[in-house]
Amino acid sequence: MDPLLLLLLLHGLLLLPLAALLLYRHSPPFQFLCKVAFFNCWIVALATLLSPVAALRGRSVENMRLLRAALLPLKHLYGIRMRVRDSELLRLPGPFVIVCNHQASLDLMGMVEVIPERCVPIAKRELLYLGTVGWACWLSGIIFIDRCRRDAAIEVIARTASAMRQENLSVWVFPEGTRNPGKSMLPFKRGAFHLAVQAQVPIVPIVISPYWDFFSPEEKRFTSGTCTIRVLPRVETLGLSPKDVPKLTESVRQAMAEALAEMSMSDHRDQDMEQPLLGPGEDRGSPQGQGDTARSRK
Ligand SMILES: CCCCC/C=C\C/C=C\CCCCCCCC(=O)SCCNC(=O)CCNC(=O)[C@H](O)C(C)(C)COP(=O)(O)OP(=O)(O)OC[C@H]1O[C@@H](n2cnc3c(N)ncnc32)[C@H](O)[C@@H]1OP(=O)(O)O
Ligand SMILES: CCCCCCCC/C=C\CCCCCCCC(=O)OC[C@@H](O)COP(=O)(O)O
């Protein structure tokens, strides 16, 4: 090959990463794309690395510890500061059903921040088919439901209710049933509430504050920021029957909607953030106190 052409080619190869770096620093949409891609790649990579380790144990809720350990570093990489309020409300003697609002895949970061021991999420069946990610989820004991086949989903929930009592298992459900980036929560599906009533266990609502200060797929914006996770007082279901489920669903949703509205207001006033390891974040607001942050696990 012509040495001059080779030299030009080499320069081009060296300039490409530099151009990408400059674009990353100065173009929020490019930074958004990179960060979302990295999030998914991280999950695929960690699932691929850790599934063989999890497989040694077989399908077990104990593998949720691995899943948690795999996802916890993400908040540091993205400079997302997690504040947990009233986490002591998760310290209950027996199993329970957690219901949580669902804004985006980023909720996984909030989930692993507070998920107690022996607790598995309910997930859509489609995740099973994501290669090693599906395998990792299955090995971690995640419960899959087919949202298009109500009878089959109800059957899975009935079996889960028995397992909860027999195996001291708690369950995490996103009762909106799908991701919802909107400002208010969607109407709740009733499966989580039937589950709690069938197992006669309490419901613990958890509300994750809106991400709009640092994450917006519409505006292609993903900066550093603060996320507040608030645990609400448990709701008992002892003595309740299926006929009580609609009222139970509404009252829990109401409590969560009120907490979300309150957090939406205060989060705009009270911003502080961590420096992201993945490069520049946007400085919004001034650092303040931690409020009633309480980070502890059951
Ligand atoms: C090991 C190393 C690892 C490394 C890292 C690797 C990977 C990590 C990656 C990922 C981790 C994954 C984390 C998982 C997160 C996944 C998030 C999701 O997938 S969210 C989507 C799934 N969740 C849900 O859908 C919520 C649950 N859904 C329900 O509960 C629904 O109710 C339903 C059971 C599916 C039915 O839904 P439907 O649309 O039909 O609506 P309704 O709820 O309104 O119900 C209609 C009707 O049926 C009655 N009903 C409902 N459930 C029951 C029941 N269990 N028993 C009896 N009757 C039931 C309900 O009351 C309504 O009747 P009526 O109107 O008469 O009251
Ligand atoms: C055959 C091999 C194919 C391999 C392809 C691998 C690609 C995987 C890429 C990324 C994996 C990231 C998985 C993140 C899981 C996030 C959980 C989540 O938030 O699910 C959404 C679900 O709650 C509701 O879904 P919808 O809003 O109804 O939609």
Side-chain angles (χ1 to χ4, degrees):
M1 188 189 273
D2 184 344
L4 193 68
L5 195 68
L6 192 69
L7 202 69
L8 275 175
L9 213 70
L10 275 175
H11 270 87
L13 279 178
L14 283 175
L15 283 177
L16 215 62
L18 197 69
L21 201 70
L22 277 174
L23 204 58
Y24 183 81
R25 286 192 76 88
H26 298 290
S27 159
F30 185 69
Q31 197 178 105
F32 173 88
L33 280 177
C34 292
K35 285 186 168 181
V36 169
F38 183 85
F39 184 87
N40 290 330
C41 289
W42 179 274
I43 291 178
V44 174
L46 269 290
T48 309
L49 279 174
L50 294 178
S51 297
V53 182
L56 293 176
R57 209 187 258 147
R59 189 175 194 215
S60 163
V61 60
E62 298 301 326
N63 286 328
M64 279 301 293
R65 290 184 183 181
L66 277 179
L67 189 144
R68 188 175 168 264
L71 301 183
L72 273 175
L74 282 168
K75 67 174 177 202
H76 300 297
L77 294 171
Y78 286 96
I80 310 290
R81 182 188 170 82
M82 294 284 180
R83 300 188 309 181
V84 184
R85 287 174 60 188
D86 303 322
S87 61
E88 68 283 355
L89 296 175
L90 281 168
R91 271 181 243 125
L92 303 184
F96 48 96
V97 173
I98 292 173
V99 289
C100 179
N101 57 323
H102 195 14
Q103 303 175 64
S105 299
L106 289 197
D107 296 336
L108 296 183
M109 288 201 262
M111 184 181 85
V112 295
E113 196 66 22
V114 290
I115 193 166
E117 297 287 342
R118 300 198 60 75
C119 180
V120 286
I122 287 188
K124 59 176 182 181
R125 195 176 163 74
E126 292 86 330
L127 289 186
L128 251 183
Y129 307 117
L130 289 182
T132 52
V133 175
W135 192 34
C137 290
W138 184 84
L139 285 168
S140 307
I142 288 180
I143 299 156
F144 295 98
I145 54 163
D146 186 341
R147 295 177 294 183
C148 303
R149 293 175 55 219
R150 183 188 294 165
D151 289 348
I154 288 177
E155 175 64 34
V156 171
I157 287 171
R159 271 189 271 124
T160 305
S162 316
M164 286 183 76
R165 293 187 73 90
Q166 282 162 14
E167 299 165 29
N168 183 29
L169 191 70
S170 294
V171 177
W172 182 297
V173 188
F174 292 104
E176 289 169 281
T178 188
R179 284 165 290 187
N180 165 40
K183 294 205 170 168
S184 59
M185 284 182 292
L186 298 175
F188 280 2
K189 304 283 181 187
R190 293 189 174 148
F193 305 89
H194 278 289
L195 175 63
V197 166
Q198 282 168 18
Q200 293 282 287
V201 296
I203 296 166
V204 179
I206 291 185
V207 183
I208 303 180
S209 64
Y211 300 141
W212 58 62
D213 274 319
F214 60 90
F215 178 76
S216 162
E218 293 78 34
E219 296 167 29
K220 302 270 176 289
R221 179 167 49 76
F222 196 168
T223 63
S224 55
T226 299
C227 175
T228 306
I229 303 167
R230 186 163 155 207
V231 185
L232 304 187
R234 69 174 183 270
V235 178
E236 297 292 351
T237 65
L238 203 62
L240 298 189
S241 69
K243 69 173 178 5
D244 300 308
V245 164
K247 211 168 139 199
L248 176 69
T249 308
E250 275 327 299
S251 63
V252 172
R253 186 180 176 281
Q254 183 64 31
M256 290 173 69
E258 279 166 19
L260 184 67
E262 193 188 298
M263 287 158 82
S264 309
M265 309 265 279
S266 57
D267 264 28
H268 280 285
R269 288 198 305 265
D270 182 20
Q271 286 293 305
D272 56 9
M273 54 207 57
E274 196 176 296
Q275 207 45 39
L277 297 175
L278 287 180
E282 207 163 278
D283 200 12
R284 286 158 181 262
S286 58
Q288 305 212 352
Q290 285 198 27
D292 52 348
T293 301
R295 168 78 187 98
S296 67
R297 279 173 61 75
K298 202 175 117 184

